Amino acid sequence: MAEKKQLPDYLDIIECSPCGIIVSDGNQLLLANQAARALFCREVQAQDASNKTIEHWLSAEEAMLASCKNKNKESVLLMVPSGRWVFASAKSLPQGRVQAAYTICSLKPVDELPEPYKSFIPREQQSKYYKKLMAGQSSLEIFDFTSNSMVNILNVIAKVAHYDDTTVLLLGESGVGKNVIANLIHKLSNRRNHPFVYINCGAIPPNLLESELFGYEKGSFTGADSSGRTGLIESADKGTLFLDEVAELPIKMQVKILHFLNEKIIQKIGGKRPLEVNTRIISATNKNLEGLVESGRFREDLFYRLNVVNVTIPPLRERKEDLIRLIDHYFLYYNQKYYLNKTLGDTVLQTLLSYSWPGNIRELRNIIEQTLILSERDVIQFQDLPHAFIEKLSSCQAHHEEEASRINAKTAVMAIDPDHIRPLAEMQTDLERKVFQALYKQYKSSYKIGDLLQISQSQASRKIKRYIKDPGEE
């Protein structure tokens, strides 16, 4: 009879399992294997798991917590801190003849399952996860998104957030919510319990920017604080520094920021010793940084250092699915803030939904607040909208009609002179050059040109560089 093989210890088997496994007694976390620790971004060793409570790991995951404490088998779909969606199944374990409180929970990432399972992640549930995470934010901010573009962006930043030293560059028009996305990256990261420091690079005079960012020692210059000052970079130690309007940084300051990113060391004005600072940099701009690099107004090496991961947040006009939720959110917020009980008439709602919102969420928020404050009726009609906004609507409509007439006139069938026929590709290039030169002369914006031609901003930017010498966005 063959000798029965000695199996390894069951704890070793669980530790090596590709499936995440958590064992608890309802309150105390008894065991978490390597796969589970990776999903929850925890560095705790297997033997130290018993020192942590189940709430310590799962307090932000209510469904998961309920699953682990429930004596009946239950499966839930949720996002874990690593940014991955998992199926979590829990079942209580009997011990001998007595039904013990021990619960084993298995975690299987959806992206490791066959393709059909991935469709089980509803956009509403993903949106709810971010909304719950940002519950402590101002009521002005909203994460109730359902558009594919925003859900995809939020899933990307959920993944990159846990790579704590990776720089992120947020791109997009003014008012799309880049500062809110930056804050979300911080809250999703392992730096969440440390400072999130915001600085608008365009709002501080260039001669003060270095002292604000790097700080100074006492007596460094005339007018300096007698006790010196801690710079914003040092204030963000172990946390996140958000450089908004980064394109406005003077060249001299760009050199210092690049040195800090490379060495993680700063030196205060008047200081004699360098300081080591561990902070993550997130930057944002509504400018075309690549164009600024080509024109010599932004350092190429800093651009690539900031642009490790870039996220372009689409304008509001490209995500109409989110617009109705934003309108509802801000009407509710300002009604509550000013003790009002006003509603929107159908005509007004359709007007707001059809408008292009060049100022994005910031413009939408301001118009709704003005409308609620100034309107005399409880049911708001078109004439209750701010007068300046109505004039803007009329101007936009007239402009679109003029553009449509111009395009129709130019695309009318023309007589062809056989003596002037050229290769088709050459004629197409010539027409494309004229179109981009004319549009750029009028708008000076790759975002606007991309919108008019229904192409992406980056595609419009490349065409501008090809056909126009030294383009620079205003």
Side-chain angles (χ1 to χ4, degrees):
M1 184 175 177
E3 183 179 352
K4 188 175 181 180
K5 291 185 177 179
Q6 182 69 36
L7 288 174
D9 185 85
Y10 75 94
L11 289 176
D12 294 332
I13 297 175
I14 292 174
E15 177 67 10
C16 296
S17 171
C19 177
I21 297 174
I22 293 175
V23 179
S24 78
D25 62 2
N27 291 308
Q28 192 75 11
L29 184 65
L30 304 177
L31 182 147
N33 71 347
Q34 183 179 10
R37 298 196 300 275
L39 287 170
F40 282 89
C41 297
R42 304 289 180 174
E43 299 300 329
V44 63
Q45 298 299 314
Q47 63 268 26
D48 297 330
S50 60
N51 296 329
K52 307 292 183 183
T53 64
I54 192 73
E55 284 89 349
H56 179 78
W57 276 43
L58 309 176
S59 59
E61 307 293 346
E62 295 173 5
M64 183 75 166
L65 188 57
S67 174
C68 285
K69 289 187 174 183
N70 198 316
K71 290 185 178 181
N72 300 314
K73 185 177 180 180
E74 181 181 343
S75 295
V76 293
L77 177 69
L78 52 91
M79 179 184 277
V80 290
S82 62
R84 301 174 74 182
W85 287 89
V86 301
F87 279 113
S89 299
K91 187 176 182 180
S92 56
L93 301 176
Q95 188 178 39
R97 300 179 182 179
V98 182
Q99 186 73 17
Y102 298 132
T103 301
I104 182 169
C105 182
S106 63
L107 309 163
K108 190 66 177 177
V110 174
D111 54 23
E112 294 180 4
L113 296 173
E115 190 65 32
Y117 286 94
K118 298 178 183 179
S119 63
F120 292 160
I121 308 176
R123 284 183 292 176
E124 292 78 7
Q125 186 166 351
Q126 297 180 53
S127 179
K128 187 184 296 184
Y129 173 82
Y130 296 110
K131 192 174 181 180
K132 181 174 68 174
L133 184 70
M134 298 297 283
Q137 288 291 102
S138 164
S139 298
L140 280 173
E141 316 301 356
I142 179 173
F143 275 88
D144 196 7
F145 297 122
T146 58
S147 63
N148 285 329
S149 58
M150 284 305 296
V151 170
N152 291 339
I153 283 173
L154 294 173
N155 283 334
V156 167
I157 66 173
K159 292 177 181 177
V160 75
H162 297 288
Y163 296 90
D164 285 349
D165 290 328
T166 301
T167 56
V168 181
L169 176 62
L170 302 177
L171 303 171
E173 297 177 10
S174 178
V176 293
K178 297 186 288 293
N179 59 329
V180 182
I181 296 296
N183 207 312
L184 178 60
I185 294 173
H186 174 72
K187 285 185 174 290
L188 285 167
S189 75
N190 294 325
R191 297 177 181 268
R192 66 180 71 88
N193 296 322
H194 298 285
F196 176 84
V197 178
Y198 169 88
I199 181 169
N200 187 323
C201 300
I204 300 175
N207 60 320
L208 298 179
L209 195 54
E210 182 176 2
S211 62
E212 288 292 324
L213 282 173
F214 294 92
Y216 56 83
E217 298 289 356
K218 61 181 180 179
S220 299
F221 51 86
T222 304
D225 191 306
S226 59
S227 58
R229 174 177 292 183
T230 299
L232 292 172
I233 294 178
E234 187 180 354
S235 297
D237 189 31
K238 298 184 177 62
T240 303
L241 180 70
F242 177 42
L243 298 175
D244 198 7
E245 306 293 351
V246 71
E248 306 302 325
L249 280 173
I251 291 291
K252 177 183 176 182
M253 193 54 55
Q254 292 176 30
V255 175
K256 290 181 175 292
I257 293 293
L258 178 63
H259 180 264
F260 166 69
L261 284 169
N262 289 333
E263 306 298 333
K264 293 295 184 181
I265 289 175
I266 65 168
Q267 189 157 345
K268 293 183 177 182
I269 297 174
K272 297 181 179 179
R273 60 183 181 85
L275 297 173
E276 188 173 334
V277 180
N278 175 19
T279 185
R280 180 189 206 157
I281 297 286
I282 300 175
S283 54
T285 182
N286 60 359
K287 299 290 182 64
N288 177 9
L289 275 188
E290 290 184 77
L292 295 178
V293 168
E294 290 191 3
S295 63
R297 287 177 284 174
F298 200 87
R299 290 183 61 97
E300 184 177 26
D301 45 9
L302 179 58
F303 168 72
Y304 287 116
R305 192 64 181 82
L306 295 175
N307 194 35
V308 175
V309 175
N310 78 68
V311 177
T312 300
I313 305 167
L316 198 50
R317 61 183 172 276
E318 293 181 7
R319 44 190 175 102
K320 296 291 187 180
E321 306 97 311
D322 298 328
L323 184 54
I324 184 66
R325 292 175 178 267
L326 289 163
I327 291 171
D328 288 343
H329 171 79
Y330 289 121
F331 258 87
L332 175 62
Y333 173 76
Y334 287 115
N335 264 316
Q336 292 176 344
K337 180 177 180 178
Y338 298 120
Y339 304 100
L340 301 171
N341 188 27
K342 297 181 180 181
T343 56
L344 272 177
D346 291 339
T347 304
V348 181
L349 180 59
Q350 289 306 313
T351 298
L352 296 180
L353 290 174
S354 61
Y355 181 56
S356 62
W357 298 106
N360 295 295
I361 297 175
R362 188 181 294 124
E363 182 184 15
L364 171 68
R365 192 174 65 207
N366 291 346
I367 292 300
I368 290 176
E369 182 176 14
Q370 287 182 57
T371 302
L372 281 169
I373 292 173
L374 299 177
S375 63
E376 301 292 340
R377 285 177 276 241
D378 288 336
V379 179
I380 295 169
Q381 303 301 325
F382 180 83
Q383 56 268 35
D384 296 319
L385 292 169
H387 180 68
F389 183 62
I390 293 176
E391 286 187 341
K392 195 172 183 180
L393 288 170
S394 302
S395 175
C396 287
Q397 184 176 358
H399 173 72
H400 286 310
E401 290 175 355
E402 181 183 344
E403 286 292 320
S405 299
R406 190 182 304 164
I407 291 171
N408 289 335
K410 287 186 177 181
T411 56
V413 177
M414 297 178 294
I416 302 296
D417 183 354
D419 295 332
H420 292 83
I421 293 295
R422 292 178 292 159
L424 179 60
E426 185 179 329
M427 290 191 294
Q428 288 175 331
T429 300
D430 190 46
L431 176 60
E432 189 174 72
R433 178 185 293 105
K434 291 178 180 178
V435 168
F436 274 89
Q437 286 175 344
L439 290 176
Y440 188 79
K441 183 177 181 180
Q442 182 173 356
Y443 297 111
K444 305 288 187 184
S445 168
S446 58
Y447 290 101
K448 181 64 176 178
I449 293 172
D451 185 44
L452 287 172
L453 298 179
Q454 296 184 11
I455 60 176
S456 68
Q457 182 271 336
S458 58
Q459 190 175 355
S461 180
R462 287 195 296 272
K463 297 289 186 182
I464 291 170
K465 292 176 191 174
R466 180 180 177 185
Y467 296 125
I468 301 163
K469 186 176 181 181
D470 191 24
E473 296 215 4
E474 294 181 352

